[in-house]
Coordinates of all heavy atoms in Angstrom, one line a residue:
M1 N 94.5 167.5 104.7 CA 94.8 168.6 105.6 C 95.9 168.3 106.5 O 96.0 167.3 107.2 CB 93.5 168.9 106.4 CG 93.6 170.1 107.2 SD 92.0 170.7 107.7 CE 92.2 171.0 109.4
A2 N 96.9 169.2 106.5 CA 98.1 169.0 107.4 C 97.7 169.4 108.8 O 96.7 170.1 109.1 CB 99.2 169.9 106.9
M3 N 98.5 168.9 109.7 CA 98.3 169.2 111.1 C 99.3 170.3 111.6 O 100.4 170.3 111.2 CB 98.6 168.0 112.0 CG 98.5 168.1 113.4 SD 99.0 166.7 114.4 CE 98.9 165.3 113.3
I4 N 98.8 171.3 112.3 CA 99.6 172.3 112.9 C 99.8 172.0 114.4 O 98.8 171.8 115.1 CB 99.1 173.7 112.8 CG1 99.0 174.1 111.3 CG2 99.9 174.7 113.5 CD1 98.5 175.5 111.0
R5 N 101.1 171.9 114.8 CA 101.3 171.5 116.2 C 102.2 172.5 116.9 O 103.2 173.0 116.3 CB 102.0 170.1 116.3 CG 101.2 169.0 115.7 CD 101.9 167.7 115.8 NE 102.1 167.4 117.2 CZ 102.6 166.2 117.7 NH1 102.9 165.3 116.8 NH2 102.7 166.0 118.9
D6 N 101.9 172.9 118.1 CA 102.8 173.7 118.9 C 103.7 172.7 119.6 O 103.3 171.7 120.3 CB 102.0 174.4 120.0 CG 101.3 175.6 119.4 OD1 101.9 176.4 118.7 OD2 100.1 175.8 119.7
I7 N 105.0 172.8 119.3 CA 106.0 171.9 119.9 C 107.0 172.6 120.8 O 107.1 173.8 120.7 CB 106.7 171.0 118.8 CG1 107.5 171.9 117.9 CG2 105.7 170.2 118.1 CD1 108.3 171.1 116.9
N8 N 107.7 171.8 121.6 CA 108.7 172.4 122.5 C 110.0 171.6 122.4 O 110.1 170.7 121.6 CB 108.2 172.6 123.9 CG 107.8 171.2 124.4 OD1 108.4 170.2 124.2 ND2 106.6 171.2 125.1
E9 N 111.0 172.0 123.2 CA 112.3 171.3 123.2 C 112.2 169.8 123.6 O 112.9 169.0 123.1 CB 113.2 172.0 124.2 CG 113.5 173.4 123.8 CD 114.2 174.3 124.8 OE1 114.2 174.0 126.0 OE2 114.8 175.3 124.4
K10 N 111.2 169.5 124.4 CA 111.0 168.1 124.8 C 110.6 167.2 123.6 O 111.0 166.0 123.5 CB 110.0 168.0 125.9 CG 110.5 168.6 127.2 CD 109.5 168.6 128.3 CE 110.0 169.3 129.5 NZ 109.0 169.5 130.5
D11 N 109.7 167.7 122.8 CA 109.2 166.8 121.7 C 109.7 167.2 120.3 O 109.4 166.5 119.3 CB 107.7 166.7 121.7 CG 107.0 168.1 121.6 OD1 107.7 169.1 121.4 OD2 105.8 168.1 121.7
F12 N 110.6 168.2 120.2 CA 111.1 168.6 118.9 C 111.7 167.5 118.1 O 111.3 167.3 117.0 CB 112.1 169.8 119.1 CG 112.6 170.4 117.8 CD1 111.9 171.5 117.3 CD2 113.7 169.9 117.1 CE1 112.3 172.0 116.1 CE2 114.1 170.4 116.0 CZ 113.4 171.5 115.4
A13 N 112.7 166.8 118.7 CA 113.4 165.8 117.9 C 112.5 164.7 117.5 O 112.6 164.2 116.3 CB 114.5 165.2 118.8
E14 N 111.5 164.3 118.3 CA 110.6 163.2 117.9 C 109.7 163.7 116.8 O 109.4 162.9 115.9 CB 109.7 162.9 119.1 CG 108.7 161.8 118.9 CD 107.8 161.6 120.1 OE1 108.1 161.9 121.2 OE2 106.6 161.1 119.9
I15 N 109.2 164.9 116.8 CA 108.3 165.4 115.8 C 109.0 165.5 114.4 O 108.4 165.1 113.4 CB 107.7 166.8 116.2 CG1 106.9 166.7 117.5 CG2 106.9 167.4 115.0 CD1 105.7 165.8 117.4
V16 N 110.2 166.0 114.4 CA 110.9 166.2 113.1 C 111.6 164.9 112.6 O 112.1 164.9 111.5 CB 111.9 167.4 113.1 CG1 111.3 168.7 113.5 CG2 113.1 167.1 114.0
A17 N 111.6 163.9 113.4 CA 112.3 162.7 113.0 C 111.8 161.9 111.8 O 112.6 161.3 111.1 CB 112.3 161.7 114.2
S18 N 110.6 162.0 111.5 CA 110.1 161.3 110.3 C 109.1 162.1 109.5 O 108.3 162.9 110.1 CB 109.4 160.0 110.8 OG 108.3 160.2 111.6
G19 N 109.1 161.9 108.2 CA 108.2 162.6 107.4 C 108.6 164.0 107.0 O 109.8 164.4 107.3
T20 N 107.7 164.7 106.5 CA 107.9 166.1 106.1 C 107.4 167.0 107.2 O 106.2 167.0 107.5 CB 107.2 166.5 104.8 OG1 107.7 165.6 103.7 CG2 107.4 167.9 104.4
V21 N 108.2 167.9 107.8 CA 107.8 168.7 108.9 C 108.4 170.1 108.6 O 109.6 170.3 108.4 CB 108.4 168.2 110.2 CG1 107.9 169.2 111.3 CG2 108.0 166.8 110.5
L22 N 107.5 171.1 108.5 CA 107.9 172.5 108.4 C 107.8 173.2 109.8 O 106.7 173.2 110.3 CB 107.0 173.2 107.4 CG 107.4 174.7 107.1 CD1 108.7 174.8 106.5 CD2 106.3 175.3 106.2
V23 N 108.9 173.6 110.3 CA 108.9 174.2 111.6 C 109.0 175.8 111.5 O 109.9 176.3 110.8 CB 110.1 173.7 112.5 CG1 110.1 174.3 113.8 CG2 110.0 172.2 112.6
D24 N 108.1 176.4 112.1 CA 108.0 177.9 112.2 C 108.5 178.3 113.5 O 107.9 178.1 114.6 CB 106.5 178.3 112.0 CG 106.3 179.8 112.2 OD1 107.3 180.6 112.1 OD2 105.2 180.2 112.6
F25 N 109.7 178.9 113.5 CA 110.3 179.5 114.8 C 109.7 180.9 114.8 O 109.9 181.7 113.9 CB 111.8 179.5 114.7 CG 112.4 178.2 114.9 CD1 112.6 177.4 113.7 CD2 112.8 177.7 116.1 CE1 113.2 176.1 113.9 CE2 113.3 176.4 116.2 CZ 113.5 175.6 115.1
W26 N 109.0 181.2 115.9 CA 108.3 182.5 116.0 C 108.3 183.0 117.5 O 108.8 182.3 118.4 CB 106.8 182.3 115.6 CG 106.0 181.4 116.6 CD1 106.1 180.1 116.8 CD2 105.2 181.9 117.6 NE1 105.3 179.7 117.9 CE2 104.7 180.8 118.4 CE3 104.7 183.2 117.9 CZ2 103.8 180.9 119.4 CZ3 103.8 183.3 119.0 CH2 103.3 182.2 119.7
A27 N 107.8 184.2 117.6 CA 107.6 184.8 119.0 C 106.4 185.7 119.0 O 106.0 186.2 117.9 CB 108.8 185.7 119.3
P28 N 105.7 185.7 120.1 CA 104.4 186.4 120.2 C 104.5 187.9 119.9 O 103.6 188.6 119.5 CB 103.9 186.2 121.6 CG 105.0 185.5 122.3 CD 106.0 185.0 121.4
W29 N 105.7 188.5 120.1 CA 105.9 190.0 119.9 C 106.3 190.3 118.5 O 106.4 191.5 118.1 CB 106.9 190.5 120.9 CG 108.2 189.6 120.9 CD1 108.4 188.6 121.9 CD2 109.3 189.6 120.0 NE1 109.6 188.0 121.6 CE2 110.2 188.6 120.4 CE3 109.6 190.3 118.9 CZ2 111.4 188.3 119.8 CZ3 110.7 190.0 118.2 CH2 111.6 189.0 118.7
C30 N 106.5 189.3 117.6 CA 106.9 189.5 116.3 C 105.7 189.7 115.3 O 105.0 188.8 115.1 CB 107.8 188.3 115.8 SG 108.2 188.2 114.1
S31 N 105.6 190.9 114.7 CA 104.5 191.1 113.9 C 104.5 190.3 112.6 O 103.5 189.8 112.1 CB 104.4 192.6 113.5 OG 105.6 193.1 112.9
Y32 N 105.7 190.1 112.0 CA 105.8 189.2 110.8 C 105.4 187.8 111.1 O 104.9 187.1 110.3 CB 107.2 189.3 110.2 CG 107.6 190.6 109.6 CD1 108.6 191.4 110.2 CD2 106.9 191.1 108.5 CE1 108.9 192.7 109.6 CE2 107.2 192.3 107.9 CZ 108.1 193.1 108.5 OH 108.4 194.3 107.9
C33 N 105.7 187.4 112.4 CA 105.4 186.0 112.8 C 103.8 185.8 112.8 O 103.3 184.7 112.4 CB 105.9 185.7 114.2 SG 107.7 185.7 114.3
K34 N 103.1 186.9 113.1 CA 101.7 186.8 113.1 C 101.2 186.6 111.7 O 100.2 185.9 111.4 CB 101.1 188.0 113.8 CG 101.3 188.0 115.3 CD 100.8 189.3 115.9 CE 101.3 189.3 117.4 NZ 101.0 190.6 118.0
V35 N 101.8 187.3 110.8 CA 101.4 187.3 109.3 C 101.7 185.8 108.8 O 100.8 185.2 108.2 CB 102.2 188.3 108.5 CG1 102.0 188.1 107.0 CG2 101.8 189.7 108.9
I36 N 102.9 185.3 109.0 CA 103.2 184.0 108.5 C 102.4 182.9 109.2 O 102.0 181.9 108.6 CB 104.7 183.7 108.6 CG1 105.1 182.5 107.7 CG2 105.1 183.3 110.0 CD1 105.0 182.8 106.2
G37 N 102.0 183.2 110.5 CA 101.1 182.2 111.2 C 99.8 182.1 110.5 O 99.2 181.0 110.4
A38 N 99.2 183.2 110.1 CA 97.9 183.2 109.4 C 98.1 182.5 108.0 O 97.2 181.7 107.6 CB 97.4 184.6 109.2
V39 N 99.2 182.7 107.3 CA 99.4 182.0 106.1 C 99.6 180.5 106.3 O 99.0 179.7 105.5 CB 100.7 182.5 105.4 CG1 101.0 181.7 104.1 CG2 100.5 184.0 105.0
L40 N 100.2 180.1 107.4 CA 100.4 178.7 107.7 C 99.0 178.0 108.0 O 98.8 176.9 107.6 CB 101.4 178.5 108.8 CG 102.8 178.8 108.5 CD1 103.7 178.8 109.8 CD2 103.4 177.9 107.5
E41 N 98.2 178.7 108.6 CA 96.8 178.2 108.9 C 96.1 177.9 107.6 O 95.4 176.9 107.4 CB 96.0 179.2 109.7 CG 96.5 179.4 111.2 CD 96.1 178.2 112.1 OE1 95.2 177.5 111.7 OE2 96.8 178.1 113.1
Q42 N 96.2 178.8 106.6 CA 95.6 178.6 105.3 C 96.3 177.4 104.6 O 95.6 176.6 104.0 CB 95.8 179.9 104.4 CG 95.1 181.1 104.9 CD 95.5 182.3 104.1 OE1 96.1 182.3 103.1 NE2 95.1 183.5 104.6
C43 N 97.6 177.3 104.7 CA 98.3 176.2 104.1 C 97.9 174.8 104.6 O 97.8 173.9 103.9 CB 99.8 176.4 104.2 SG 100.5 177.7 103.3
A44 N 97.6 174.8 105.9 CA 97.2 173.5 106.6 C 96.0 172.9 105.9 O 95.9 171.7 105.8 CB 97.0 173.7 108.1
V45 N 95.1 173.7 105.4 CA 93.9 173.3 104.8 C 94.2 172.5 103.5 O 93.5 171.5 103.2 CB 92.9 174.4 104.6 CG1 91.7 174.0 103.8 CG2 92.5 175.1 105.9
S46 N 95.2 173.0 102.7 CA 95.5 172.5 101.4 C 96.6 171.5 101.4 O 96.8 170.8 100.4 CB 95.8 173.6 100.4 OG 94.8 174.6 100.4
A47 N 97.4 171.5 102.4 CA 98.7 170.7 102.4 C 98.3 169.2 102.5 O 97.3 168.8 103.0 CB 99.5 171.1 103.6
P48 N 99.3 168.4 102.1 CA 99.1 166.9 102.2 C 98.8 166.5 103.7 O 99.4 167.1 104.6 CB 100.4 166.3 101.7 CG 101.0 167.4 100.9 CD 100.6 168.7 101.5
A49 N 98.0 165.5 103.9 CA 97.6 165.1 105.2 C 98.8 164.6 106.0 O 98.8 164.8 107.2 CB 96.5 164.0 105.1
E50 N 99.8 164.0 105.3 CA 100.9 163.5 106.1 C 101.9 164.6 106.5 O 102.8 164.3 107.3 CB 101.6 162.4 105.2 CG 102.2 162.8 103.9 CD 101.2 162.9 102.8 OE1 100.0 162.6 103.0 OE2 101.6 163.2 101.7
A51 N 101.8 165.7 105.9 CA 102.7 166.8 106.3 C 102.4 167.4 107.7 O 101.2 167.4 108.1 CB 102.7 167.9 105.2
V52 N 103.4 167.9 108.4 CA 103.2 168.5 109.7 C 103.8 169.9 109.6 O 104.9 170.1 109.1 CB 103.9 167.7 110.8 CG1 103.8 168.4 112.1 CG2 103.3 166.3 110.9
I53 N 103.0 170.8 110.1 CA 103.5 172.2 110.3 C 103.6 172.4 111.8 O 102.6 172.2 112.5 CB 102.5 173.2 109.7 CG1 102.3 173.0 108.2 CG2 103.0 174.6 110.0 CD1 101.2 173.8 107.6
A54 N 104.8 172.7 112.3 CA 105.0 172.8 113.7 C 105.5 174.3 114.0 O 106.1 174.9 113.2 CB 106.1 171.8 114.1
K55 N 105.1 174.7 115.2 CA 105.4 176.0 115.6 C 106.2 175.9 116.9 O 105.9 175.2 117.9 CB 104.2 176.8 115.9 CG 103.3 177.0 114.6 CD 102.0 177.7 114.8 CE 102.2 179.2 115.1 NZ 102.8 180.0 114.1
V56 N 107.4 176.7 117.0 CA 108.2 176.7 118.2 C 108.3 178.1 118.6 O 108.9 179.0 117.9 CB 109.6 176.1 117.9 CG1 110.5 176.3 119.1 CG2 109.5 174.7 117.5
N57 N 107.9 178.4 119.8 CA 108.0 179.8 120.4 C 109.5 179.9 120.9 O 109.9 179.2 121.8 CB 107.0 179.9 121.6 CG 107.1 181.3 122.2 OD1 108.1 181.9 122.3 ND2 105.9 181.7 122.7
V58 N 110.2 180.8 120.3 CA 111.6 181.0 120.6 C 111.9 181.5 122.0 O 112.9 181.2 122.6 CB 112.4 181.8 119.6 CG1 112.4 181.2 118.2 CG2 111.9 183.2 119.5
D59 N 110.9 182.3 122.5 CA 111.1 182.8 123.9 C 111.0 181.7 124.9 O 111.7 181.7 126.0 CB 110.0 183.8 124.2 CG 110.2 185.1 123.4 OD1 111.4 185.4 122.9 OD2 109.2 185.9 123.2
D60 N 110.2 180.7 124.6 CA 110.0 179.6 125.6 C 110.9 178.4 125.3 O 111.0 177.5 126.2 CB 108.5 179.1 125.5 CG 107.5 180.1 126.0 OD1 107.9 181.1 126.7 OD2 106.3 180.0 125.5
N61 N 111.6 178.4 124.2 CA 112.4 177.2 123.8 C 113.7 177.7 123.3 O 114.1 177.5 122.1 CB 111.6 176.4 122.7 CG 110.3 175.9 123.2 OD1 110.3 174.9 123.9 ND2 109.2 176.5 122.9
T62 N 114.5 178.2 124.2 CA 115.8 178.9 123.8 C 116.8 177.9 123.4 O 117.7 178.2 122.6 CB 116.3 179.7 125.0 OG1 116.4 178.9 126.2 CG2 115.4 180.9 125.3
E63 N 116.8 176.7 124.0 CA 117.9 175.7 123.6 C 117.8 175.2 122.2 O 118.7 175.2 121.5 CB 117.8 174.5 124.6 CG 118.4 174.8 126.0 CD 118.3 173.6 126.9 OE1 118.4 172.5 126.4 OE2 118.2 173.8 128.1
V64 N 116.6 174.8 121.8 CA 116.4 174.4 120.4 C 116.6 175.5 119.4 O 117.1 175.3 118.3 CB 115.0 173.6 120.2 CG1 113.9 174.6 120.2 CG2 115.1 172.8 118.9
S65 N 116.2 176.7 119.8 CA 116.4 177.9 118.9 C 117.9 178.2 118.8 O 118.3 178.5 117.6 CB 115.7 179.1 119.6 OG 114.3 178.9 119.7
A66 N 118.6 178.1 119.8 CA 120.1 178.2 119.7 C 120.7 177.1 118.9 O 121.6 177.4 118.1 CB 120.7 178.3 121.1
K67 N 120.3 175.9 119.1 CA 120.8 174.8 118.4 C 120.7 175.0 116.9 O 121.7 174.6 116.1 CB 120.1 173.5 118.8 CG 120.6 172.3 118.0 CD 119.8 171.0 118.4 CE 120.3 169.8 117.6 NZ 119.6 168.6 117.9
Y68 N 119.6 175.5 116.4 CA 119.4 175.8 115.0 C 119.8 177.2 114.6 O 119.6 177.6 113.4 CB 118.0 175.4 114.6 CG 117.8 173.9 114.6 CD1 117.3 173.3 115.7 CD2 118.2 173.2 113.5 CE1 117.2 171.9 115.7 CE2 118.1 171.8 113.5 CZ 117.6 171.2 114.6 OH 117.4 169.8 114.6
G69 N 120.5 177.9 115.5 CA 121.0 179.3 115.1 C 119.9 180.3 114.7 O 120.2 181.0 113.7
I70 N 118.8 180.2 115.3 CA 117.7 181.1 115.0 C 118.0 182.6 115.4 O 118.1 182.8 116.6 CB 116.4 180.7 115.5 CG1 116.1 179.2 115.2 CG2 115.2 181.6 115.2 CD1 116.0 179.0 113.7
T71 N 118.2 183.5 114.5 CA 118.6 184.8 114.8 C 117.6 185.8 114.2 O 117.6 187.0 114.5 CB 120.0 185.2 114.4 OG1 120.1 185.0 113.0 CG2 121.0 184.4 115.1
T72 N 116.8 185.3 113.3 CA 115.8 186.2 112.6 C 114.4 185.5 112.6 O 114.3 184.3 112.5 CB 116.2 186.3 111.1 OG1 117.5 186.8 111.0 CG2 115.3 187.3 110.4
L73 N 113.4 186.3 112.9 CA 112.1 185.8 112.9 C 111.2 186.4 111.9 O 111.4 187.6 111.6 CB 111.4 186.1 114.3 CG 112.1 185.4 115.5 CD1 111.4 185.8 116.8 CD2 112.1 183.9 115.4
P74 N 110.3 185.7 111.3 CA 110.1 184.2 111.5 C 111.2 183.5 110.7 O 111.7 184.0 109.7 CB 108.8 183.9 110.9 CG 108.5 185.0 109.9 CD 109.3 186.2 110.4
T75 N 111.6 182.3 111.2 CA 112.4 181.4 110.4 C 111.6 180.1 110.2 O 111.1 179.5 111.2 CB 113.7 181.1 111.1 OG1 114.5 182.3 111.2 CG2 114.6 180.1 110.4
L76 N 111.5 179.6 109.0 CA 110.9 178.4 108.6 C 112.0 177.4 108.2 O 112.8 177.7 107.4 CB 109.9 178.6 107.5 CG 108.8 179.6 107.7 CD1 108.0 179.8 106.4 CD2 107.9 179.2 108.8
I77 N 112.0 176.2 108.9 CA 112.9 175.2 108.5 C 112.1 173.9 108.1 O 111.3 173.5 108.8 CB 113.9 174.8 109.6 CG1 114.7 176.0 110.1 CG2 114.8 173.7 109.2 CD1 115.7 175.8 111.2
L78 N 112.5 173.4 106.9 CA 111.9 172.2 106.4 C 112.7 171.0 106.7 O 113.9 171.0 106.4 CB 111.7 172.3 104.8 CG 111.0 171.1 104.2 CD1 109.6 171.0 104.6 CD2 111.1 171.2 102.7
F79 N 112.2 170.1 107.4 CA 112.8 168.8 107.7 C 112.2 167.7 107.0 O 111.0 167.6 106.8 CB 112.7 168.5 109.2 CG 113.5 169.5 110.1 CD1 112.9 170.6 110.6 CD2 114.8 169.2 110.5 CE1 113.5 171.5 111.4 CE2 115.5 170.1 111.3 CZ 114.8 171.2 111.8
K80 N 113.1 166.8 106.5 CA 112.6 165.5 105.9 C 113.3 164.4 106.7 O 114.6 164.3 106.7 CB 113.0 165.4 104.4 CG 112.4 166.4 103.6 CD 111.1 165.9 102.9 CE 110.6 167.0 102.0 NZ 109.8 166.5 101.0
D81 N 112.5 163.6 107.3 CA 113.1 162.5 108.1 C 114.2 162.9 109.0 O 115.2 162.2 109.1 CB 113.5 161.3 107.2 CG 112.3 160.8 106.4 OD1 111.2 160.7 107.0 OD2 112.5 160.4 105.3
G82 N 114.0 164.0 109.7 CA 115.0 164.5 110.7 C 116.1 165.3 110.2 O 116.9 165.8 110.9
V83 N 116.2 165.5 108.9 CA 117.3 166.2 108.3 C 116.8 167.6 107.8 O 115.8 167.6 107.1 CB 117.9 165.4 107.1 CG1 119.0 166.2 106.4 CG2 118.5 164.1 107.5
E84 N 117.5 168.6 108.1 CA 117.2 170.0 107.6 C 117.4 170.0 106.1 O 118.5 169.8 105.7 CB 118.0 171.0 108.3 CG 117.6 172.4 107.9 CD 118.4 173.5 108.6 OE1 118.9 173.4 109.7 OE2 118.6 174.6 107.9
I85 N 116.4 170.3 105.4 CA 116.4 170.4 103.9 C 116.6 171.9 103.4 O 117.4 172.1 102.5 CB 115.2 169.8 103.3 CG1 115.0 168.4 103.7 CG2 115.2 170.0 101.8 CD1 116.1 167.5 103.3
S86 N 115.9 172.8 104.0 CA 116.0 174.2 103.6 C 115.5 175.1 104.7 O 114.8 174.7 105.7 CB 115.2 174.4 102.3 OG 113.8 174.1 102.5
R87 N 115.9 176.3 104.6 CA 115.6 177.4 105.6 C 115.1 178.6 104.9 O 115.6 179.0 103.9 CB 116.9 177.7 106.3 CG 116.7 178.5 107.6 CD 118.1 178.6 108.2 NE 118.5 177.4 109.0 CZ 118.8 177.3 110.2 NH1 118.8 178.4 111.0 NH2 119.1 176.2 110.8
H88 N 114.0 179.2 105.4 CA 113.4 180.3 104.8 C 112.9 181.4 105.8 O 112.7 181.1 107.0 CB 112.1 179.9 104.0 CG 112.4 178.7 103.1 ND1 112.9 178.9 101.8 CD2 112.4 177.4 103.3 CE1 113.1 177.7 101.3 NE2 112.8 176.8 102.2
G89 N 112.7 182.6 105.3 CA 112.0 183.6 106.0 C 110.6 183.7 105.6 O 109.9 182.6 105.5
M90 N 110.1 184.9 105.3 CA 108.7 185.0 104.9 C 108.5 184.3 103.5 O 109.3 184.5 102.6 CB 108.3 186.5 104.7 CG 108.3 187.2 106.1 SD 106.9 186.7 107.1 CE 105.5 187.3 106.3
L91 N 107.4 183.6 103.4 CA 107.1 182.9 102.1 C 105.6 183.1 101.8 O 104.8 183.4 102.8 CB 107.3 181.4 102.2 CG 108.8 180.9 102.3 CD1 108.8 179.4 102.5 CD2 109.6 181.3 101.1
K92 N 105.3 183.0 100.6 CA 103.9 183.1 100.2 C 103.2 181.7 100.3 O 103.9 180.7 100.4 CB 103.8 183.5 98.7 CG 104.3 184.9 98.5 CD 104.2 185.3 97.0 CE 104.8 186.6 96.8 NZ 105.0 187.0 95.4
K93 N 101.9 181.7 100.4 CA 101.2 180.5 100.5 C 101.6 179.4 99.5 O 101.9 178.3 99.8 CB 99.7 180.7 100.4 CG 98.8 179.5 100.6 CD 97.3 179.8 100.5 CE 96.5 178.6 100.5 NZ 95.1 178.9 100.3
A94 N 101.7 179.8 98.2 CA 102.0 178.8 97.2 C 103.4 178.3 97.4 O 103.7 177.1 97.1 CB 101.9 179.5 95.8
E95 N 104.3 179.1 97.9 CA 105.7 178.6 98.1 C 105.8 177.6 99.3 O 106.5 176.6 99.2 CB 106.6 179.8 98.4 CG 106.8 180.8 97.3 CD 107.5 182.1 97.7 OE1 107.2 182.6 98.8 OE2 108.3 182.6 96.9
I96 N 105.0 177.9 100.3 CA 104.9 176.9 101.4 C 104.3 175.6 101.0 O 104.8 174.5 101.3 CB 104.1 177.5 102.6 CG1 104.9 178.7 103.2 CG2 103.8 176.5 103.7 CD1 104.1 179.6 104.1
L97 N 103.2 175.7 100.2 CA 102.6 174.4 99.7 C 103.5 173.6 98.8 O 103.6 172.4 98.9 CB 101.3 174.8 99.0 CG 100.2 175.3 99.9 CD1 99.0 175.7 99.1 CD2 99.8 174.2 100.9
T98 N 104.3 174.3 98.0 CA 105.3 173.6 97.2 C 106.4 172.9 98.1 O 106.7 171.8 97.8 CB 106.1 174.6 96.3 OG1 105.1 175.2 95.4 CG2 107.1 174.0 95.5
L99 N 106.8 173.5 99.2 CA 107.7 172.9 100.1 C 107.1 171.6 100.7 O 107.8 170.6 100.8 CB 108.1 173.9 101.2 CG 109.1 175.0 100.9 CD1 109.2 175.9 102.2 CD2 110.4 174.5 100.5
L100 N 105.9 171.7 101.1 CA 105.2 170.6 101.8 C 104.9 169.5 100.8 O 104.8 168.3 101.2 CB 103.9 171.1 102.5 CG 104.1 172.1 103.7 CD1 102.8 172.6 104.1 CD2 104.9 171.4 104.8
D101 N 104.8 169.8 99.5 CA 104.5 168.8 98.5 C 105.8 168.1 98.1 O 105.7 167.0 97.5 CB 103.8 169.4 97.3 CG 102.3 169.6 97.5 OD1 101.8 168.8 98.3 OD2 101.8 170.5 96.9
S102 N 106.9 168.7 98.3 CA 108.2 168.1 97.7 C 108.7 166.9 98.5 O 108.3 166.7 99.6 CB 109.2 169.2 97.6 OG 109.5 169.7 98.9

């Protein structure tokens, strides 16, 4: 089971620095973000234990959101050992699990 973590600008770099981390950039007012949030909760149950799913509230973390050029919500970024591997919008559960397994 993967861990879902709410992260912020202070711990962002540390969290994505090692391993497989899928970061969900979201906002509480975004209806699509609520949908993908529920899908991520489902994915956490089936995902590899070493994978991390992280959530960044763009309203509260404007610097990290600007650094990664977040202009559309939700935006999912897959990091491997601190390096951005891919960027996505809405994904299905199976697609997210494939990302976390790769």
